[in-house]
């Protein structure tokens, strides 16, 4: 079965600093990977996804993630944090249920705080 | 663009009461999902519907039932609410069944407290 591990339930950075949120996955087949963001009292919004092809994926709001098969990782980065980036971030892997539908397996989330 | 709409947004129930959470999507998606979100546990799948007319259990189905009323609507029912079902419930949809590269689109959630 596939699984996702997010290292660090809370990450705090200063405004303008690099954001690095870690995600490692376990999968016996080529994975399809996603990052979602959740702002307070809202639903999840897709940041970016990796399916096939280019291993560096660019998403919305200046975020990007790199798929590294050798490290089974899909870490999320942003060069310069903004106050509006404060939110909870979820990494997820997609699992196919025998062709019927795709199920998302979520990590436990990382809460990002941005200090002024 | 409404996307995925959930009602109600907030609800407080007493133990033993029943309730139905409503979800509707206007994106002509085939698959729909119900998740619950609890602190430190991420999102866990309760039930899903690959297409109109089908429903299947997810990771944590006990205490819940679902109905795929039509292509647009997917409801979640708590027959006899328990305090352990206090959670935030999210409905999601995806375009085409069986395609693992399809992202899911989420509603804003229903915050449910059971006393």
């Amino acid at each position: 079965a596939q699984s996702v591990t997010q290292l660090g339930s809370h990450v705090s950075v200063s405004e303008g600093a690099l954001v690095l949120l870690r995600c490692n996955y376990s999968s016996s087949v080529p994975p399809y990977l996603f990052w979602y963001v959740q702002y307070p009292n809202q639903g999840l919004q897709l940041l970016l996804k990796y399916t096939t092809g280019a291993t560096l994926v660019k998403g919305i709001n200046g975020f990007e993630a790199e798929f590294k098969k050798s490290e089974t990782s899909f870490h999320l980065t942003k060069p310069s944090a903004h106050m509006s980036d404060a939110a909870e971030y979820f990494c997820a892997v997609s699992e196919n249920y025998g062709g019927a539908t795709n199920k998302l397996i979520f990590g436990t989330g990382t809460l990002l705080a941005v200090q002024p | 663009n409404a996307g995925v709409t959930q009602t109600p947004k907030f609800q407080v129930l007493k133990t033993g009461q029943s309730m139905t959470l409503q979800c509707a999507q206007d994106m002509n998606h085939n698959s729909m999902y119900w998740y619950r979100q609890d602190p430190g546990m991420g999102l866990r799948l309760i039930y899903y519907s690959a297409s109109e007319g089908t429903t299947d259990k997810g990771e944590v189905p006990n205490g819940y039932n679902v109905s795929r009323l039509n292509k647009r609507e997917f409801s979640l029912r708590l027959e006899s609410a328990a305090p352990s079902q206090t959670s935030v419930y999210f409905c999601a949809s995806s375009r085409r069944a069986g395609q693992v590269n399809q992202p899911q689109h989420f509603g804003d959630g229903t915050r449910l407290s059971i006393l």
Side-chain angles (χ1 to χ4, degrees):
Chain A
Q2 291 159 309
S3 65
V4 171
T5 301
Q6 290 184 243
L7 295 176
S9 59
H10 291 81
V11 170
S12 183
V13 300
S14 298
E15 191 173 19
L18 171 71
V19 175
L20 171 60
L21 304 182
R22 299 179 186 274
C23 173
N24 288 89
Y25 68 90
S26 171
S27 176
S28 59
V29 297
Y32 294 89
L33 296 158
F34 303 81
W35 275 101
Y36 283 85
V37 59
Q38 184 181 30
Y39 298 103
N41 298 315
Q42 293 187 25
L44 277 70
Q45 178 182 354
L46 181 69
L47 267 180
L48 50 80
K49 67 175 183 178
Y50 169 78
T51 55
T52 58
T55 56
L56 183 62
V57 181
K58 295 187 183 298
I60 62 172
N61 302 337
F63 284 93
E64 61 183 35
E66 186 171 11
F67 171 65
K68 292 187 176 181
K69 184 178 179 180
S70 61
E71 299 177 7
T72 61
S73 68
F74 190 55
H75 301 332
L76 182 71
T77 60
K78 182 173 180 178
S80 177
H82 192 272
M83 297 295 289
S84 60
D85 295 327
E88 190 158 21
Y89 292 80
F90 292 93
C91 182
V93 63
S94 184
E95 179 178 86
N96 185 273
Y97 265 173
T101 191
N102 53 307
K103 170 188 170 184
L104 283 178
I105 311 296
F106 285 90
T108 53
T110 297
L111 188 62
L112 175 67
V114 182
Q115 307 299 328
Chain B
N1 291 334
V4 178
T5 302
Q6 293 184 235
T7 56
K9 295 188 183 304
F10 303 93
Q11 186 69 47
V12 179
L13 294 177
K14 294 181 179 179
T15 297
Q17 287 185 315
S18 62
M19 174 166 189
T20 299
L21 279 60
Q22 306 287 352
C23 174
Q25 52 89 11
D26 62 2
M27 296 174 284
N28 200 34
H29 285 175
N30 288 296
S31 297
M32 298 185 73
Y33 313 81
W34 276 105
Y35 293 89
R36 60 177 289 172
Q37 182 181 30
D38 302 292
M41 302 188 75
L43 279 78
R44 293 180 292 168
L45 183 65
I46 305 171
Y47 270 93
Y48 66 96
S49 171
S51 59
E52 186 178 355
T54 69
T55 60
D56 285 286
K57 294 178 180 179
E59 185 183 357
V60 288
N62 291 344
Y64 305 95
N65 285 300
V66 291
S67 296
R68 183 73 182 266
L69 305 171
N70 48 54
K71 190 172 185 179
R72 291 186 63 249
E73 298 173 289
F74 188 39
S75 63
L76 178 72
R77 183 163 177 83
L78 287 69
E79 290 291 352
S80 179
S84 61
Q85 295 177 304
T86 293
S87 187
V88 183
Y89 291 85
F90 287 99
C91 178
S93 68
S94 64
R95 187 168 63 186
R96 188 174 295 178
Q99 292 196 338
V100 292
N101 61 346
Q102 293 293 317
Q104 293 180 16
H105 300 262
F106 287 79
D108 285 342
T110 294
R111 286 149 184 82
L112 183 61
S113 293
I114 299 164
L115 306 177

